[in-house]
Amino acid sequence: MDFREMRRKRQQLSDAESIEILEKATSGTLALLGDGGYPYAVPISYVYADGKLYFHSAKDGHKIDAIRNCDKASFCVIDQDCVKPAEYTTYFRSVIAFGHIHIVEDENEKLQIARLLGNRYNPNQEEALQKELEHGLNRMLAIRFDIEHLTGKEAIELTRLRK
């Protein structure tokens, strides 16, 4: 698919800057095609690794039904949102990823994703992570988001400050 070019190109972040935001942030909003064709956007924790986003989930629910019905998705992370009342604006930085989302069926890949997530949110706790995996891995789903297109954008004021 051909994705739209950003209209305000001067505000576009480089791929490296966009990836840096994905690596730093801990949560974002996953947007899916929900029930009745309505958009369904859900805040969710994630980990970025090797050009992909990874999530975990319970085995049932609106999000899982939406993923099973349509594999196209977007994911948005807000890195900065500083309201400037006197200027009637915000100084923002954000990233949006577009791609295909999949429930991981392979048990080895699922375990690898669970380890990535565990180490991201509770680093250097291998023994505790192993216990958690033994206890809960069979009750969770692992989800992989294959990024096709990535764009980052920042407020024009931030662009000017960097020059």
PDB file of all heavy atoms in Angstrom, residues 104-139:
ATOM      1  N   VAL A 104       0.195 -14.401  17.998  1.00  0.00           N
ATOM      2  CA  VAL A 104       1.298 -15.339  17.810  1.00  0.00           C
ATOM      3  C   VAL A 104       0.865 -16.726  18.262  1.00  0.00           C
ATOM      4  O   VAL A 104       0.459 -16.918  19.409  1.00  0.00           O
ATOM      5  CB  VAL A 104       2.545 -14.853  18.590  1.00  0.00           C
ATOM      6  CG1 VAL A 104       3.649 -15.885  18.535  1.00  0.00           C
ATOM      7  CG2 VAL A 104       3.000 -13.511  18.049  1.00  0.00           C
ATOM      8  N   GLU A 105       0.965 -17.669  17.351  1.00  0.00           N
ATOM      9  CA  GLU A 105       0.577 -19.053  17.646  1.00  0.00           C
ATOM     10  C   GLU A 105       1.772 -19.915  18.052  1.00  0.00           C
ATOM     11  O   GLU A 105       1.632 -20.856  18.820  1.00  0.00           O
ATOM     12  CB  GLU A 105      -0.116 -19.674  16.425  1.00  0.00           C
ATOM     13  CG  GLU A 105      -1.340 -18.918  15.935  1.00  0.00           C
ATOM     14  CD  GLU A 105      -2.500 -18.925  16.915  1.00  0.00           C
ATOM     15  OE1 GLU A 105      -2.543 -19.784  17.816  1.00  0.00           O
ATOM     16  OE2 GLU A 105      -3.387 -18.058  16.775  1.00  0.00           O
ATOM     17  N   ASP A 106       2.953 -19.590  17.540  1.00  0.00           N
ATOM     18  CA  ASP A 106       4.152 -20.374  17.821  1.00  0.00           C
ATOM     19  C   ASP A 106       4.573 -20.188  19.286  1.00  0.00           C
ATOM     20  O   ASP A 106       4.794 -19.058  19.735  1.00  0.00           O
ATOM     21  CB  ASP A 106       5.286 -19.928  16.878  1.00  0.00           C
ATOM     22  CG  ASP A 106       6.561 -20.692  17.132  1.00  0.00           C
ATOM     23  OD1 ASP A 106       6.668 -21.822  16.633  1.00  0.00           O
ATOM     24  OD2 ASP A 106       7.444 -20.148  17.841  1.00  0.00           O
ATOM     25  N   GLU A 107       4.671 -21.289  20.026  1.00  0.00           N
ATOM     26  CA  GLU A 107       4.964 -21.213  21.462  1.00  0.00           C
ATOM     27  C   GLU A 107       6.349 -20.636  21.755  1.00  0.00           C
ATOM     28  O   GLU A 107       6.530 -19.920  22.736  1.00  0.00           O
ATOM     29  CB  GLU A 107       4.811 -22.593  22.111  1.00  0.00           C
ATOM     30  CG  GLU A 107       3.374 -23.061  22.213  1.00  0.00           C
ATOM     31  CD  GLU A 107       2.498 -22.147  23.084  1.00  0.00           C
ATOM     32  OE1 GLU A 107       2.950 -21.697  24.161  1.00  0.00           O
ATOM     33  OE2 GLU A 107       1.350 -21.869  22.679  1.00  0.00           O
ATOM     34  N   ASN A 108       7.331 -20.923  20.916  1.00  0.00           N
ATOM     35  CA  ASN A 108       8.677 -20.369  21.127  1.00  0.00           C
ATOM     36  C   ASN A 108       8.678 -18.859  20.927  1.00  0.00           C
ATOM     37  O   ASN A 108       9.306 -18.126  21.692  1.00  0.00           O
ATOM     38  CB  ASN A 108       9.696 -21.037  20.198  1.00  0.00           C
ATOM     39  CG  ASN A 108       9.986 -22.458  20.605  1.00  0.00           C
ATOM     40  OD1 ASN A 108       9.938 -22.803  21.787  1.00  0.00           O
ATOM     41  ND2 ASN A 108      10.283 -23.304  19.638  1.00  0.00           N
ATOM     42  N   GLU A 109       7.981 -18.381  19.887  1.00  0.00           N
ATOM     43  CA  GLU A 109       7.895 -16.946  19.654  1.00  0.00           C
ATOM     44  C   GLU A 109       7.114 -16.271  20.786  1.00  0.00           C
ATOM     45  O   GLU A 109       7.481 -15.187  21.245  1.00  0.00           O
ATOM     46  CB  GLU A 109       7.244 -16.651  18.304  1.00  0.00           C
ATOM     47  CG  GLU A 109       7.246 -15.183  17.946  1.00  0.00           C
ATOM     48  CD  GLU A 109       6.612 -14.870  16.594  1.00  0.00           C
ATOM     49  OE1 GLU A 109       6.094 -15.788  15.914  1.00  0.00           O
ATOM     50  OE2 GLU A 109       6.614 -13.675  16.230  1.00  0.00           O
ATOM     51  N   LYS A 110       6.055 -16.914  21.239  1.00  0.00           N
ATOM     52  CA  LYS A 110       5.264 -16.378  22.351  1.00  0.00           C
ATOM     53  C   LYS A 110       6.130 -16.228  23.602  1.00  0.00           C
ATOM     54  O   LYS A 110       6.097 -15.190  24.268  1.00  0.00           O
ATOM     55  CB  LYS A 110       4.076 -17.311  22.617  1.00  0.00           C
ATOM     56  CG  LYS A 110       3.194 -16.880  23.755  1.00  0.00           C
ATOM     57  CD  LYS A 110       2.045 -17.875  23.932  1.00  0.00           C
ATOM     58  CE  LYS A 110       1.236 -17.588  25.159  1.00  0.00           C
ATOM     59  NZ  LYS A 110       0.137 -18.537  25.356  1.00  0.00           N
ATOM     60  N   LEU A 111       6.946 -17.228  23.893  1.00  0.00           N
ATOM     61  CA  LEU A 111       7.835 -17.174  25.056  1.00  0.00           C
ATOM     62  C   LEU A 111       8.856 -16.055  24.897  1.00  0.00           C
ATOM     63  O   LEU A 111       9.133 -15.311  25.840  1.00  0.00           O
ATOM     64  CB  LEU A 111       8.537 -18.522  25.248  1.00  0.00           C
ATOM     65  CG  LEU A 111       9.533 -18.604  26.395  1.00  0.00           C
ATOM     66  CD1 LEU A 111       8.864 -18.307  27.730  1.00  0.00           C
ATOM     67  CD2 LEU A 111      10.197 -19.980  26.406  1.00  0.00           C
ATOM     68  N   GLN A 112       9.407 -15.907  23.705  1.00  0.00           N
ATOM     69  CA  GLN A 112      10.383 -14.843  23.440  1.00  0.00           C
ATOM     70  C   GLN A 112       9.751 -13.458  23.657  1.00  0.00           C
ATOM     71  O   GLN A 112      10.361 -12.579  24.258  1.00  0.00           O
ATOM     72  CB  GLN A 112      10.908 -14.974  22.018  1.00  0.00           C
ATOM     73  CG  GLN A 112      11.954 -13.950  21.655  1.00  0.00           C
ATOM     74  CD  GLN A 112      12.413 -14.079  20.211  1.00  0.00           C
ATOM     75  OE1 GLN A 112      11.868 -14.835  19.409  1.00  0.00           O
ATOM     76  NE2 GLN A 112      13.427 -13.313  19.874  1.00  0.00           N
ATOM     77  N   ILE A 113       8.517 -13.284  23.189  1.00  0.00           N
ATOM     78  CA  ILE A 113       7.814 -12.007  23.369  1.00  0.00           C
ATOM     79  C   ILE A 113       7.539 -11.753  24.845  1.00  0.00           C
ATOM     80  O   ILE A 113       7.736 -10.634  25.342  1.00  0.00           O
ATOM     81  CB  ILE A 113       6.510 -11.995  22.540  1.00  0.00           C
ATOM     82  CG1 ILE A 113       6.847 -11.988  21.044  1.00  0.00           C
ATOM     83  CG2 ILE A 113       5.629 -10.809  22.918  1.00  0.00           C
ATOM     84  CD1 ILE A 113       5.672 -12.298  20.138  1.00  0.00           C
ATOM     85  N   ALA A 114       7.102 -12.778  25.561  1.00  0.00           N
ATOM     86  CA  ALA A 114       6.840 -12.630  26.998  1.00  0.00           C
ATOM     87  C   ALA A 114       8.119 -12.229  27.737  1.00  0.00           C
ATOM     88  O   ALA A 114       8.086 -11.389  28.639  1.00  0.00           O
ATOM     89  CB  ALA A 114       6.265 -13.922  27.560  1.00  0.00           C
ATOM     90  N   ARG A 115       9.243 -12.791  27.343  1.00  0.00           N
ATOM     91  CA  ARG A 115      10.525 -12.418  27.961  1.00  0.00           C
ATOM     92  C   ARG A 115      10.901 -10.975  27.635  1.00  0.00           C
ATOM     93  O   ARG A 115      11.381 -10.237  28.494  1.00  0.00           O
ATOM     94  CB  ARG A 115      11.627 -13.371  27.520  1.00  0.00           C
ATOM     95  CG  ARG A 115      11.541 -14.727  28.154  1.00  0.00           C
ATOM     96  CD  ARG A 115      12.819 -15.539  27.933  1.00  0.00           C
ATOM     97  NE  ARG A 115      12.729 -16.804  28.622  1.00  0.00           N
ATOM     98  CZ  ARG A 115      12.862 -16.962  29.938  1.00  0.00           C
ATOM     99  NH1 ARG A 115      13.087 -15.915  30.697  1.00  0.00           N
ATOM    100  NH2 ARG A 115      12.763 -18.145  30.472  1.00  0.00           N
ATOM    101  N   LEU A 116      10.700 -10.570  26.370  1.00  0.00           N
ATOM    102  CA  LEU A 116      10.979  -9.175  25.997  1.00  0.00           C
ATOM    103  C   LEU A 116      10.165  -8.213  26.862  1.00  0.00           C
ATOM    104  O   LEU A 116      10.694  -7.229  27.385  1.00  0.00           O
ATOM    105  CB  LEU A 116      10.634  -8.935  24.522  1.00  0.00           C
ATOM    106  CG  LEU A 116      11.624  -9.395  23.475  1.00  0.00           C
ATOM    107  CD1 LEU A 116      11.001  -9.282  22.076  1.00  0.00           C
ATOM    108  CD2 LEU A 116      12.906  -8.587  23.548  1.00  0.00           C
ATOM    109  N   LEU A 117       8.871  -8.498  26.990  1.00  0.00           N
ATOM    110  CA  LEU A 117       7.991  -7.641  27.787  1.00  0.00           C
ATOM    111  C   LEU A 117       8.391  -7.659  29.262  1.00  0.00           C
ATOM    112  O   LEU A 117       8.467  -6.610  29.904  1.00  0.00           O
ATOM    113  CB  LEU A 117       6.537  -8.077  27.619  1.00  0.00           C
ATOM    114  CG  LEU A 117       5.910  -7.733  26.275  1.00  0.00           C
ATOM    115  CD1 LEU A 117       4.700  -8.612  25.988  1.00  0.00           C
ATOM    116  CD2 LEU A 117       5.526  -6.257  26.226  1.00  0.00           C
ATOM    117  N   GLY A 118       8.657  -8.840  29.783  1.00  0.00           N
ATOM    118  CA  GLY A 118       9.045  -8.956  31.191  1.00  0.00           C
ATOM    119  C   GLY A 118      10.323  -8.205  31.493  1.00  0.00           C
ATOM    120  O   GLY A 118      10.418  -7.486  32.499  1.00  0.00           O
ATOM    121  N   ASN A 119      11.303  -8.344  30.635  1.00  0.00           N
ATOM    122  CA  ASN A 119      12.577  -7.656  30.841  1.00  0.00           C
ATOM    123  C   ASN A 119      12.451  -6.148  30.641  1.00  0.00           C
ATOM    124  O   ASN A 119      13.192  -5.378  31.243  1.00  0.00           O
ATOM    125  CB  ASN A 119      13.658  -8.235  29.932  1.00  0.00           C
ATOM    126  CG  ASN A 119      14.104  -9.600  30.390  1.00  0.00           C
ATOM    127  OD1 ASN A 119      14.218  -9.857  31.584  1.00  0.00           O
ATOM    128  ND2 ASN A 119      14.348 -10.495  29.454  1.00  0.00           N
ATOM    129  N   ARG A 120      11.529  -5.732  29.811  1.00  0.00           N
ATOM    130  CA  ARG A 120      11.315  -4.291  29.575  1.00  0.00           C
ATOM    131  C   ARG A 120      10.733  -3.612  30.809  1.00  0.00           C
ATOM    132  O   ARG A 120      11.122  -2.520  31.188  1.00  0.00           O
ATOM    133  CB  ARG A 120      10.367  -4.104  28.381  1.00  0.00           C
ATOM    134  CG  ARG A 120       9.920  -2.679  28.138  1.00  0.00           C
ATOM    135  CD  ARG A 120      11.080  -1.846  27.592  1.00  0.00           C
ATOM    136  NE  ARG A 120      10.630  -0.565  27.115  1.00  0.00           N
ATOM    137  CZ  ARG A 120      10.821   0.577  27.782  1.00  0.00           C
ATOM    138  NH1 ARG A 120      11.447   0.592  28.921  1.00  0.00           N
ATOM    139  NH2 ARG A 120      10.384   1.717  27.283  1.00  0.00           N
ATOM    140  N   TYR A 121       9.779  -4.271  31.451  1.00  0.00           N
ATOM    141  CA  TYR A 121       9.057  -3.649  32.557  1.00  0.00           C
ATOM    142  C   TYR A 121       9.563  -4.054  33.938  1.00  0.00           C
ATOM    143  O   TYR A 121       9.208  -3.428  34.933  1.00  0.00           O
ATOM    144  CB  TYR A 121       7.554  -3.920  32.417  1.00  0.00           C
ATOM    145  CG  TYR A 121       7.014  -3.187  31.211  1.00  0.00           C
ATOM    146  CD1 TYR A 121       6.884  -3.815  29.985  1.00  0.00           C
ATOM    147  CD2 TYR A 121       6.705  -1.836  31.299  1.00  0.00           C
ATOM    148  CE1 TYR A 121       6.436  -3.122  28.866  1.00  0.00           C
ATOM    149  CE2 TYR A 121       6.258  -1.136  30.187  1.00  0.00           C
ATOM    150  CZ  TYR A 121       6.129  -1.782  28.976  1.00  0.00           C
ATOM    151  OH  TYR A 121       5.702  -1.085  27.878  1.00  0.00           O
ATOM    152  N   ASN A 122      10.375  -5.086  34.012  1.00  0.00           N
ATOM    153  CA  ASN A 122      10.959  -5.508  35.285  1.00  0.00           C
ATOM    154  C   ASN A 122      12.347  -6.075  35.000  1.00  0.00           C
ATOM    155  O   ASN A 122      12.566  -7.280  35.092  1.00  0.00           O
ATOM    156  CB  ASN A 122      10.060  -6.542  35.970  1.00  0.00           C
ATOM    157  CG  ASN A 122      10.449  -6.770  37.413  1.00  0.00           C
ATOM    158  OD1 ASN A 122      11.204  -6.003  37.999  1.00  0.00           O
ATOM    159  ND2 ASN A 122       9.937  -7.844  37.993  1.00  0.00           N
ATOM    160  N   PRO A 123      13.280  -5.191  34.625  1.00  0.00           N
ATOM    161  CA  PRO A 123      14.605  -5.658  34.195  1.00  0.00           C
ATOM    162  C   PRO A 123      15.407  -6.308  35.319  1.00  0.00           C
ATOM    163  O   PRO A 123      15.199  -6.021  36.501  1.00  0.00           O
ATOM    164  CB  PRO A 123      15.287  -4.381  33.703  1.00  0.00           C
ATOM    165  CG  PRO A 123      14.557  -3.259  34.346  1.00  0.00           C
ATOM    166  CD  PRO A 123      13.163  -3.741  34.602  1.00  0.00           C
ATOM    167  N   ASN A 124      16.305  -7.196  34.910  1.00  0.00           N
ATOM    168  CA  ASN A 124      17.256  -7.846  35.825  1.00  0.00           C
ATOM    169  C   ASN A 124      16.572  -8.659  36.918  1.00  0.00           C
ATOM    170  O   ASN A 124      17.072  -8.749  38.034  1.00  0.00           O
ATOM    171  CB  ASN A 124      18.189  -6.797  36.445  1.00  0.00           C
ATOM    172  CG  ASN A 124      18.894  -5.975  35.393  1.00  0.00           C
ATOM    173  OD1 ASN A 124      19.404  -6.516  34.411  1.00  0.00           O
ATOM    174  ND2 ASN A 124      18.902  -4.669  35.577  1.00  0.00           N
ATOM    175  N   GLN A 125      15.433  -9.223  36.601  1.00  0.00           N
ATOM    176  CA  GLN A 125      14.693 -10.053  37.557  1.00  0.00           C
ATOM    177  C   GLN A 125      14.379 -11.411  36.922  1.00  0.00           C
ATOM    178  O   GLN A 125      13.219 -11.833  36.851  1.00  0.00           O
ATOM    179  CB  GLN A 125      13.407  -9.348  38.001  1.00  0.00           C
ATOM    180  CG  GLN A 125      13.631  -8.040  38.709  1.00  0.00           C
ATOM    181  CD  GLN A 125      14.363  -8.230  40.020  1.00  0.00           C
ATOM    182  OE1 GLN A 125      14.098  -9.160  40.772  1.00  0.00           O
ATOM    183  NE2 GLN A 125      15.320  -7.354  40.291  1.00  0.00           N
ATOM    184  N   GLU A 126      15.403 -12.081  36.436  1.00  0.00           N
ATOM    185  CA  GLU A 126      15.217 -13.313  35.672  1.00  0.00           C
ATOM    186  C   GLU A 126      14.474 -14.397  36.458  1.00  0.00           C
ATOM    187  O   GLU A 126      13.601 -15.068  35.927  1.00  0.00           O
ATOM    188  CB  GLU A 126      16.573 -13.842  35.174  1.00  0.00           C
ATOM    189  CG  GLU A 126      16.464 -14.967  34.180  1.00  0.00           C
ATOM    190  CD  GLU A 126      15.638 -14.627  32.937  1.00  0.00           C
ATOM    191  OE1 GLU A 126      15.741 -13.495  32.431  1.00  0.00           O
ATOM    192  OE2 GLU A 126      14.871 -15.504  32.482  1.00  0.00           O
ATOM    193  N   GLU A 127      14.800 -14.557  37.728  1.00  0.00           N
ATOM    194  CA  GLU A 127      14.146 -15.588  38.537  1.00  0.00           C
ATOM    195  C   GLU A 127      12.649 -15.286  38.701  1.00  0.00           C
ATOM    196  O   GLU A 127      11.801 -16.171  38.539  1.00  0.00           O
ATOM    197  CB  GLU A 127      14.828 -15.700  39.900  1.00  0.00           C
ATOM    198  CG  GLU A 127      14.348 -16.893  40.709  1.00  0.00           C
ATOM    199  CD  GLU A 127      15.134 -17.036  42.002  1.00  0.00           C
ATOM    200  OE1 GLU A 127      16.378 -16.895  41.985  1.00  0.00           O
ATOM    201  OE2 GLU A 127      14.492 -17.297  43.034  1.00  0.00           O
ATOM    202  N   ALA A 128      12.323 -14.048  38.994  1.00  0.00           N
ATOM    203  CA  ALA A 128      10.918 -13.644  39.147  1.00  0.00           C
ATOM    204  C   ALA A 128      10.181 -13.781  37.812  1.00  0.00           C
ATOM    205  O   ALA A 128       9.027 -14.231  37.781  1.00  0.00           O
ATOM    206  CB  ALA A 128      10.830 -12.214  39.661  1.00  0.00           C
ATOM    207  N   LEU A 129      10.840 -13.404  36.726  1.00  0.00           N
ATOM    208  CA  LEU A 129      10.220 -13.535  35.408  1.00  0.00           C
ATOM    209  C   LEU A 129       9.949 -14.998  35.087  1.00  0.00           C
ATOM    210  O   LEU A 129       8.872 -15.342  34.588  1.00  0.00           O
ATOM    211  CB  LEU A 129      11.111 -12.903  34.330  1.00  0.00           C
ATOM    212  CG  LEU A 129      10.629 -13.048  32.883  1.00  0.00           C
ATOM    213  CD1 LEU A 129       9.229 -12.468  32.693  1.00  0.00           C
ATOM    214  CD2 LEU A 129      11.617 -12.384  31.937  1.00  0.00           C
ATOM    215  N   GLN A 130      10.900 -15.863  35.379  1.00  0.00           N
ATOM    216  CA  GLN A 130      10.713 -17.292  35.109  1.00  0.00           C
ATOM    217  C   GLN A 130       9.508 -17.843  35.874  1.00  0.00           C
ATOM    218  O   GLN A 130       8.707 -18.575  35.314  1.00  0.00           O
ATOM    219  CB  GLN A 130      11.986 -18.074  35.464  1.00  0.00           C
ATOM    220  CG  GLN A 130      11.919 -19.541  35.108  1.00  0.00           C
ATOM    221  CD  GLN A 130      11.695 -19.789  33.627  1.00  0.00           C
ATOM    222  OE1 GLN A 130      12.226 -19.079  32.776  1.00  0.00           O
ATOM    223  NE2 GLN A 130      10.885 -20.778  33.310  1.00  0.00           N
ATOM    224  N   LYS A 131       9.365 -17.446  37.123  1.00  0.00           N
ATOM    225  CA  LYS A 131       8.210 -17.885  37.926  1.00  0.00           C
ATOM    226  C   LYS A 131       6.907 -17.376  37.312  1.00  0.00           C
ATOM    227  O   LYS A 131       5.918 -18.102  37.238  1.00  0.00           O
ATOM    228  CB  LYS A 131       8.340 -17.407  39.364  1.00  0.00           C
ATOM    229  CG  LYS A 131       9.339 -18.182  40.171  1.00  0.00           C
ATOM    230  CD  LYS A 131       9.394 -17.670  41.592  1.00  0.00           C
ATOM    231  CE  LYS A 131      10.483 -18.409  42.363  1.00  0.00           C
ATOM    232  NZ  LYS A 131      10.643 -17.884  43.718  1.00  0.00           N
ATOM    233  N   GLU A 132       6.895 -16.118  36.881  1.00  0.00           N
ATOM    234  CA  GLU A 132       5.704 -15.537  36.263  1.00  0.00           C
ATOM    235  C   GLU A 132       5.346 -16.269  34.976  1.00  0.00           C
ATOM    236  O   GLU A 132       4.174 -16.550  34.703  1.00  0.00           O
ATOM    237  CB  GLU A 132       5.919 -14.041  35.993  1.00  0.00           C
ATOM    238  CG  GLU A 132       4.725 -13.338  35.409  1.00  0.00           C
ATOM    239  CD  GLU A 132       3.522 -13.287  36.329  1.00  0.00           C
ATOM    240  OE1 GLU A 132       3.683 -13.367  37.563  1.00  0.00           O
ATOM    241  OE2 GLU A 132       2.389 -13.165  35.804  1.00  0.00           O
ATOM    242  N   LEU A 133       6.348 -16.580  34.182  1.00  0.00           N
ATOM    243  CA  LEU A 133       6.100 -17.300  32.927  1.00  0.00           C
ATOM    244  C   LEU A 133       5.555 -18.696  33.192  1.00  0.00           C
ATOM    245  O   LEU A 133       4.640 -19.153  32.504  1.00  0.00           O
ATOM    246  CB  LEU A 133       7.385 -17.375  32.094  1.00  0.00           C
ATOM    247  CG  LEU A 133       7.896 -16.044  31.550  1.00  0.00           C
ATOM    248  CD1 LEU A 133       9.252 -16.225  30.890  1.00  0.00           C
ATOM    249  CD2 LEU A 133       6.895 -15.430  30.588  1.00  0.00           C
ATOM    250  N   GLU A 134       6.100 -19.368  34.177  1.00  0.00           N
ATOM    251  CA  GLU A 134       5.611 -20.710  34.528  1.00  0.00           C
ATOM    252  C   GLU A 134       4.165 -20.655  34.998  1.00  0.00           C
ATOM    253  O   GLU A 134       3.372 -21.540  34.714  1.00  0.00           O
ATOM    254  CB  GLU A 134       6.500 -21.328  35.607  1.00  0.00           C
ATOM    255  CG  GLU A 134       7.869 -21.728  35.099  1.00  0.00           C
ATOM    256  CD  GLU A 134       8.831 -22.106  36.210  1.00  0.00           C
ATOM    257  OE1 GLU A 134       8.410 -22.194  37.397  1.00  0.00           O
ATOM    258  OE2 GLU A 134      10.029 -22.304  35.895  1.00  0.00           O
ATOM    259  N   HIS A 135       3.815 -19.593  35.686  1.00  0.00           N
ATOM    260  CA  HIS A 135       2.471 -19.440  36.246  1.00  0.00           C
ATOM    261  C   HIS A 135       1.449 -18.915  35.236  1.00  0.00           C
ATOM    262  O   HIS A 135       0.296 -19.349  35.223  1.00  0.00           O
ATOM    263  CB  HIS A 135       2.534 -18.505  37.458  1.00  0.00           C
ATOM    264  CG  HIS A 135       1.209 -18.187  38.053  1.00  0.00           C
ATOM    265  ND1 HIS A 135       0.473 -19.106  38.777  1.00  0.00           N
ATOM    266  CD2 HIS A 135       0.466 -17.060  38.029  1.00  0.00           C
ATOM    267  CE1 HIS A 135      -0.657 -18.556  39.162  1.00  0.00           C
ATOM    268  NE2 HIS A 135      -0.687 -17.308  38.731  1.00  0.00           N
ATOM    269  N   GLY A 136       1.858 -17.980  34.362  1.00  0.00           N
ATOM    270  CA  GLY A 136       0.862 -17.284  33.572  1.00  0.00           C
ATOM    271  C   GLY A 136       0.970 -17.357  32.060  1.00  0.00           C
ATOM    272  O   GLY A 136       0.078 -16.866  31.356  1.00  0.00           O
ATOM    273  N   LEU A 137       2.025 -17.950  31.533  1.00  0.00           N
ATOM    274  CA  LEU A 137       2.215 -17.952  30.082  1.00  0.00           C
ATOM    275  C   LEU A 137       1.054 -18.622  29.348  1.00  0.00           C
ATOM    276  O   LEU A 137       0.627 -18.150  28.290  1.00  0.00           O
ATOM    277  CB  LEU A 137       3.538 -18.631  29.708  1.00  0.00           C
ATOM    278  CG  LEU A 137       3.935 -18.540  28.237  1.00  0.00           C
ATOM    279  CD1 LEU A 137       4.195 -17.099  27.822  1.00  0.00           C
ATOM    280  CD2 LEU A 137       5.168 -19.396  27.968  1.00  0.00           C
ATOM    281  N   ASN A 138       0.514 -19.676  29.907  1.00  0.00           N
ATOM    282  CA  ASN A 138      -0.577 -20.393  29.229  1.00  0.00           C
ATOM    283  C   ASN A 138      -1.898 -19.619  29.239  1.00  0.00           C
ATOM    284  O   ASN A 138      -2.823 -19.969  28.517  1.00  0.00           O
ATOM    285  CB  ASN A 138      -0.770 -21.783  29.845  1.00  0.00           C
ATOM    286  CG  ASN A 138      -1.188 -21.726  31.302  1.00  0.00           C
ATOM    287  OD1 ASN A 138      -1.012 -20.715  31.976  1.00  0.00           O
ATOM    288  ND2 ASN A 138      -1.702 -22.837  31.795  1.00  0.00           N
ATOM    289  N   ARG A 139      -1.976 -18.543  30.051  1.00  0.00           N
ATOM    290  CA  ARG A 139      -3.209 -17.749  30.123  1.00  0.00           C
ATOM    291  C   ARG A 139      -3.130 -16.448  29.322  1.00  0.00           C
ATOM    292  O   ARG A 139      -4.051 -15.649  29.357  1.00  0.00           O
ATOM    293  CB  ARG A 139      -3.544 -17.416  31.577  1.00  0.00           C
ATOM    294  CG  ARG A 139      -3.885 -18.642  32.402  1.00  0.00           C
ATOM    295  CD  ARG A 139      -4.477 -18.295  33.760  1.00  0.00           C
ATOM    296  NE  ARG A 139      -3.906 -17.128  34.402  1.00  0.00           N
ATOM    297  CZ  ARG A 139      -2.925 -17.155  35.305  1.00  0.00           C
ATOM    298  NH1 ARG A 139      -2.392 -18.296  35.658  1.00  0.00           N
ATOM    299  NH2 ARG A 139      -2.483 -16.040  35.856  1.00  0.00           N
TER     300      ARG A 139
END
